[in-house]
């Protein structure tokens, strides 16, 4: 069982809760969501509690992440986009911290479940659609009609634009989910090679050096992916929000 | 990946794991169901696609992410934004103050230069004045001394003249006496004083 690379994605009930026939149990996934939100919130809260004019190291981590996301959003969506800053920052921090907690052995990776990433993607797209219609009314639909397209091509282009818009929540969620899932499976498989080869005697022990080195390298890669996917998620969120703010391109 | 995984586990003779790997690789799970070890996921589904826990995950995500969002929006982000704002203001203020101080320093340097130039010219003037007055004084002193010397010279000349005239007067009587004595020696007897005197006088003229 220890070598089963899928086992790490198992959900187990910790506190069974059932409301109206639906299973809302507090599971290990819920536990890690709470851990993610609590640790990220506590880190940001505690590191900035000194309000130092000259920041400590930890305070500058909080400040750097703040300015990183603020610049990203301002570049992508302009200064009007700053009203979505709390959303983008929360998404980035939540995904990043969830990914990083998932790097601990035996820990559950919240973002390795498609339903979680899909819910987050729907939150983004839902915000884009609702804000777009509230702000621009039906003018928001101009998003699907790019400027300077010849009349005959308009139906085709509109169809492509609509399909591309509808596929956004899917691509946004599957990208994060698949990266985390595949990375963790690969890591586990290579780590499994080490144990199974070592069990084969002296030759196996020597041979297991290669997958061990691979595991170490993959761990580093996974840390990069953990950050990168949170970054990609935040960047795409910024770009989609830009569509809601400026639908006319 | 499957190609690498399957032989490795086959050699280990652990069919349960092989079955799980097949599920991971997306192969049909029924392949290894006869020895499926994972009792926890019951139906043997790939956990992320098992809808059993979807409601629970959505609910808990909504709760945790919602609280996280509110906490960040209400507490953390205003605070961090405030810190950055204060720092930016402080830096701008410090830069302004530095510019102000620099202007002050520049003004002080200019004032110093000006004062230095003024002092230098004043010193020059004082020196010139001192030189002029010293020169004038020396000139005056020289004149006084010259005048003194001239008067002394005149006095001396007068004395010389008087001595000379006195000496000249005495020359006559000496000549007379000498002539009387010479006449007495040569002629014998008394010489006529008046005649001698007339003779001397005529000789001197």
């Amino acid at each position: 069982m220890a070598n089963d690379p899928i086992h790490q994605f198992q959900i187990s009930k910790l506190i069974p809760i059932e409301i109206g026939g639906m299973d809302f149990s507090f599971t290990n996934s819920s536990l890690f969501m709470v851990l993610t939100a609590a640790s990220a919130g506590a880190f940001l809260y505690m590191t900035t509690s000194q309000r130092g004019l000259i920041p400590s190291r930890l305070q500058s981590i909080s400040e750097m992440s703040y300015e990183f996301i603020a610049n990203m959003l301002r570049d992508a969506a302009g200064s009007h986009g700053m009203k979505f800053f709390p959303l983008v920052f929360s998404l980035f921090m939540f995904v990043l911290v969830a990914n990083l907690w998932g790097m601990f052995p035996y820990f559950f990776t919240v973002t390795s479940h498609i339903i979680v990433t899909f819910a987050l993607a729907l939150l983004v797209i839902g915000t884009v659609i609702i804000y777009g219609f509230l702000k621009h009314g039906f003018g928001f639909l101009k998003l699907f009609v790019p400027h300077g397209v010849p009349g005959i091509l308009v139906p085709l282009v509109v169809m492509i634009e609509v399909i591309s818009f509808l596929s956004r929540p899917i691509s946004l969620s599957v990208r994060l989910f698949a990266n985390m899932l595949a990375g963790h499976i690969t890591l586990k498989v290579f780590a499994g090679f080490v144990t199974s080869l070592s069990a084969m005697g002296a030759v196996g022990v020597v041979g297991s050096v290669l997958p061990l080195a691979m595991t170490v390298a993959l761990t580093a890669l996974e840390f990069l992916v953990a950050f990168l996917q949170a970054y990609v998620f935040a960047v795409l969120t910024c770009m989609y929000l830009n569509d809601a703010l400026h639908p006319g391109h | 990946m499957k190609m690498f995984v399957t032989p490795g586990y086959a050699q280990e003779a652990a069919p349960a794991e092989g079955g799980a790997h097949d599920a991971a690789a997306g192969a049909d799970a029924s392949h290894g169901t006869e020895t499926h070890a994972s009792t926890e996921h019951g139906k043997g589904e790939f956990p992320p696609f098992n809808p059993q826990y979807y409601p629970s995950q959505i609910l808990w995500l909504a709760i945790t992410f919602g609280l996280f969002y509110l906490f960040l929006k209400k507490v953390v982000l205003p605070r961090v934004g405030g810190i950055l704002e204060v720092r930016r203001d402080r830096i701008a203020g410090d830069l302004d103050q530095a510019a102000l101080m620099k202007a002050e320093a520049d003004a002080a340097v200019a004032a110093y230069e000006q004062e230095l130039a003024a002092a230098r010219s004043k010193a020059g003037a004082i020196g010139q004045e001192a030189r002029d007055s010293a020169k004038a004084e020396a000139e005056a002193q020289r004149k006084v001394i010259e005048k003194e010397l001239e008067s002394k010279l005149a006095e001396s000349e007068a004395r010389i003249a008087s001595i000379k005239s006195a000496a000249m007067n005495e020359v006559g009587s000496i000549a007379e006496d000498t002539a009387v004595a010479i006449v007495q020696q040569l002629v014998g007897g008394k010489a006529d004083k008046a005649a001698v005197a007339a003779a001397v006088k005529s000789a001197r003229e």
Side-chain angles (χ1 to χ4, degrees):
Chain A
M1 201 63 230
N3 282 343
D4 179 1
I6 302 303
H7 182 251
Q8 57 181 322
F9 304 115
Q10 286 297 339
I11 289 183
S12 52
K13 283 185 204 181
L14 300 177
I15 305 167
I17 302 167
E18 203 168 306
I19 302 165
M22 298 258 267
D23 188 359
F24 290 119
S25 301
F26 189 84
T27 62
N28 55 346
S29 173
S30 319
L31 177 66
F32 278 95
M33 288 177 194
V34 172
L35 178 68
T36 297
S39 58
F43 179 84
L44 291 169
Y45 183 78
M46 273 147 66
T47 54
T48 54
S49 62
Q50 297 291 319
R51 293 164 195 268
L53 194 64
I54 299 154
S56 61
R57 287 181 193 180
L58 293 177
Q59 188 185 326
S60 56
I61 292 176
S62 295
E63 289 175 6
M64 272 157 62
S65 44
Y66 180 101
E67 293 201 306
F68 178 61
I69 300 296
N71 290 335
M72 184 199 294
L73 183 57
R74 204 175 289 119
D75 289 346
S79 54
H80 294 298
M82 292 313 281
K83 61 167 73 76
F84 293 114
F85 178 61
L87 176 68
V88 180
F89 189 75
S90 308
L91 280 171
F92 174 75
M93 288 309 283
F94 193 86
V95 172
L96 176 66
V97 174
N99 290 352
L100 290 177
W101 276 125
M103 288 307 297
F104 282 89
Y106 298 106
F107 276 27
F108 183 85
T109 314
V110 174
T111 45
S112 68
H113 276 243
I114 181 74
I115 188 67
V116 173
T117 60
F118 192 67
L120 292 175
L122 275 187
L123 174 66
V124 172
I125 300 298
T127 309
V128 168
I129 292 173
I130 292 169
Y131 182 80
F133 276 116
L134 281 181
K135 182 91 186 290
H136 304 285
F138 285 102
F140 179 59
L141 295 176
K142 274 191 290 191
L143 176 66
F144 302 117
V145 191
H147 282 302
V149 178
I152 314 163
L153 286 178
V154 164
L156 185 65
V157 170
V158 167
M159 209 173 74
I160 292 170
E161 289 282 332
V162 169
I163 291 170
S164 120
F165 187 83
L166 291 179
S167 63
R168 277 176 183 181
I170 298 165
S171 68
L172 192 58
S173 55
V174 168
R175 183 181 297 111
L176 176 57
F177 152 72
N179 266 288
M180 299 319 290
L181 184 83
H184 282 69
I185 289 175
T186 317
L187 203 53
K188 190 78 185 217
V189 165
F190 275 96
F193 280 164
V194 178
T195 54
S196 51
L197 279 172
S198 316
M200 287 164 60
V203 180
V205 171
V206 173
S208 68
V209 170
L210 201 65
L212 180 64
M214 200 66 191
T215 308
V216 172
L218 277 174
T219 306
L221 179 73
E222 280 306 298
F223 273 106
L224 177 70
V225 168
F227 174 80
L228 203 65
Q229 287 305 318
Y231 170 73
V232 167
F233 200 93
V235 165
L236 289 173
T237 302
C238 292
M239 287 168 60
Y240 298 160
L241 288 170
N242 184 41
D243 283 345
L245 289 156
H246 314 107
H249 288 288
Chain B
M1 184 168 71
K2 194 179 152 196
M3 274 178 67
F4 288 111
V5 173
T6 320
Y9 284 102
Q11 282 170 347
E12 217 195 334
E17 277 145 12
H21 277 297
D22 280 350
D28 58 338
S30 62
H31 192 64
T33 35
E34 73 273 3
T35 44
H36 218 289
S38 48
T39 49
E40 276 178 79
H41 54 120
K43 294 158 219 143
E45 270 183 86
F46 187 50
F49 295 144
N50 180 0
Q52 187 193 344
Y53 291 106
Y54 281 3
S56 150
Q57 279 177 301
I58 292 173
L59 174 75
W60 286 101
L61 178 67
I63 293 171
T64 52
F65 186 75
L67 289 177
F68 183 62
Y69 173 78
L70 285 179
F71 179 65
L72 289 195
K73 190 179 179 182
K74 298 286 174 209
V75 181
V76 170
L77 295 179
R79 181 194 276 186
V80 178
I83 292 170
L84 296 176
E85 189 77 12
V86 165
R87 183 176 307 144
R88 203 171 297 129
D89 288 355
R90 175 68 184 271
I91 288 170
D94 282 2
L95 282 179
D96 285 355
Q97 207 178 345
L100 209 70
M101 279 174 149
K102 188 177 179 297
E104 256 171 50
D106 286 351
V109 167
Y112 162 78
E113 294 278 350
Q114 207 171 353
E115 232 161 281
L116 192 68
R120 206 172 268 150
S121 70
K122 201 171 166 192
I126 288 172
Q128 191 62 38
E129 201 176 305
R131 220 172 1 247
D132 287 353
S133 71
K135 213 186 222 173
E137 204 175 313
E139 191 73 13
Q141 230 160 357
R142 193 173 60 89
K143 272 182 185 157
V144 168
I145 289 169
E146 265 175 11
K147 213 172 266 176
E148 233 168 72
L149 286 175
E150 260 167 38
S151 70
K152 267 187 187 165
L153 195 62
E155 203 177 303
S156 310
E157 271 172 4
R159 242 178 87 197
I160 287 168
S162 73
I163 289 171
K164 195 178 172 186
S165 67
M168 282 302 181
N169 284 339
E170 265 166 43
V171 165
S173 62
I174 287 169
E176 279 171 25
D177 288 346
T178 310
V180 169
I182 290 167
V183 167
Q184 271 178 353
Q185 282 285 314
L186 290 176
V187 185
K190 263 204 141 325
D192 188 7
K193 242 184 178 173
V196 171
V200 166
K201 201 168 183 178
S202 67
R204 278 181 68 193
E205 271 162 16

